[in-house]
Amino acid sequence: MGRLIYRQSFWTRLTHWLWAFALFFMLLSGLQIFNARPQLYVGKESGFGYDNTILQIGAEDTKSGPRGFTRIFGHTFDTTGVLGWSGPAGRESARAFPSWATIPSYYDLGTARVIHFFFAWVLSATLLTWLLAGFINGHIRRDLIPRGTDIRNLPRDVAAHLRLKFHHAREYNTLQKLAYAGVLFLALPLMILTGLAMSPSMDSILPWLNEVLGGRQTARTIHFSVMVLLVLFFIVHMLMILAAGPINELRSIITGWYRADQPSGDGERST
């Protein structure tokens, strides 16, 4: 057995769980908000006079009854029972995302917006606090910014992950650094900026933001796309935790203590 080391500080663990909690409620309330207008566009405007729809989820009447569909870049897929048309047998209804995937489960745009915006501020405040603390205590420079040796080790790390061979150490490996840095420095800030760009009240405060992002409709599409990437990150993150040892990984993010591999040639007694 390896040695127990203190890997995650209190602030790292606290912000991790605040992000997880906030993103959970933002995701489900965001899907409820999306249900009010289940289409995505590229450009500054949308409507019947434009042909800029890249995603649409809806329902249509067919010879066999109502069917749900998802249309992506002009390609239509039958998604009945999941997207577009779903619900208990005999009580199906037309809605983009099913009731089990939204907060509230019933259609209530006002409540969804209140929940979404509240946790958006929680997410933003937590991210800002983490960034300031991370720069001050050196956590970002020491643990998250990839170095030259990390880039050189990237092929080796990819091969090791494909073989499900994991090195348990205090330092993050190259793939972890790239993934975490991508989420914390790119995905989450972009999610926040596109959210601000969709708010009409922010036009007077940040009039340039909407233009930089290509218009409100493009900002909405980017916002949704980043959400999809974060969900994919979460799925891969969970799979890696299960593969690397869920007890050890959970103990690290809950208590801070992590069981690392015994260094080669180290005569120290294992715990």
Side-chain angles (χ1 to χ4, degrees):
M1 297 177 67
R3 302 168 301 165
L4 278 177
I5 60 174
Y6 193 68
R7 191 189 198 198
Q8 308 289 3
S9 70
F10 169 78
W11 290 109
T12 297
R13 288 177 278 134
L14 177 63
T15 52
H16 172 277
W17 291 111
L18 283 174
W19 284 327
F21 197 68
L23 286 170
F24 172 81
F25 282 95
M26 287 181 65
L27 170 62
L28 272 62
S29 60
L31 296 181
Q32 175 73 273
I33 296 172
F34 179 85
N35 278 355
R37 183 67 171 178
Q39 293 174 268
L40 294 177
Y41 314 88
V42 173
K44 298 181 179 180
E45 300 177 273
S46 62
F48 294 109
Y50 300 88
D51 186 21
N52 55 355
T53 303
I54 64 171
L55 170 69
Q56 180 180 4
I57 303 176
E60 58 186 355
D61 290 325
T62 68
K63 294 181 179 179
S64 58
R67 305 291 297 179
F69 69 88
T70 299
R71 186 171 295 124
I72 305 176
F73 293 108
H75 300 281
T76 303
F77 305 91
D78 188 317
T79 52
T80 304
V82 181
L83 302 176
W85 183 262
S86 61
R91 292 186 292 160
E92 299 90 347
S93 62
R95 52 183 297 153
F97 287 95
S99 59
W100 56 262
T102 66
I103 291 178
S105 59
Y106 53 91
Y107 182 75
D108 187 341
L109 180 59
T111 300
R113 287 170 62 87
V114 170
I115 294 173
H116 195 78
F117 295 154
F118 172 80
F119 284 102
W121 285 115
V122 172
L123 177 72
S124 301
T126 304
L127 180 61
L128 179 60
T129 302
W130 179 86
L131 286 171
L132 291 175
F135 279 115
I136 292 173
N137 62 26
H139 172 60
I140 292 176
R141 172 186 52 80
R142 182 181 62 250
D143 300 321
L144 291 177
I145 301 299
R147 303 174 183 176
T149 53
D150 293 316
I151 302 303
R152 290 192 293 271
N153 289 336
L154 182 58
R156 185 190 66 185
D157 284 347
V158 172
H161 276 70
L162 291 175
R163 298 196 305 270
L164 299 182
K165 299 292 185 180
F166 301 100
H167 178 59
H168 301 89
R170 184 196 180 283
E171 300 78 16
Y172 295 138
N173 60 53
T174 304
L175 286 177
Q176 286 177 312
K177 288 185 177 182
L178 291 174
Y180 297 156
V183 169
L184 294 167
F185 302 135
L186 294 177
L188 292 184
L190 187 57
M191 178 73 79
I192 294 170
L193 288 175
T194 51
L196 292 174
M198 288 187 289
S199 173
S201 63
M202 294 301 298
D203 287 347
S204 59
I205 301 175
L206 302 172
W208 50 268
L209 184 58
N210 208 295
E211 293 294 327
V212 169
L213 293 171
R216 185 170 287 107
Q217 295 301 328
T218 301
R220 183 170 180 259
T221 298
I222 296 174
H223 196 75
F224 186 91
S225 300
V226 174
M227 177 273 292
V228 173
L229 291 177
L230 287 174
V231 171
L232 292 176
F233 166 80
F234 171 77
I235 294 173
V236 174
H237 186 53
M238 290 297 102
L239 291 176
M240 289 298 100
I241 287 175
L242 292 175
I247 295 178
N248 197 29
E249 298 293 335
L250 285 174
R251 176 174 54 208
S252 173
I253 205 61
I254 293 175
T255 69
W257 291 96
Y258 184 76
R259 192 173 298 281
D261 294 336
Q262 188 72 30
S264 177
D266 191 348
E268 181 180 345
R269 184 178 178 180
S270 301
T271 57

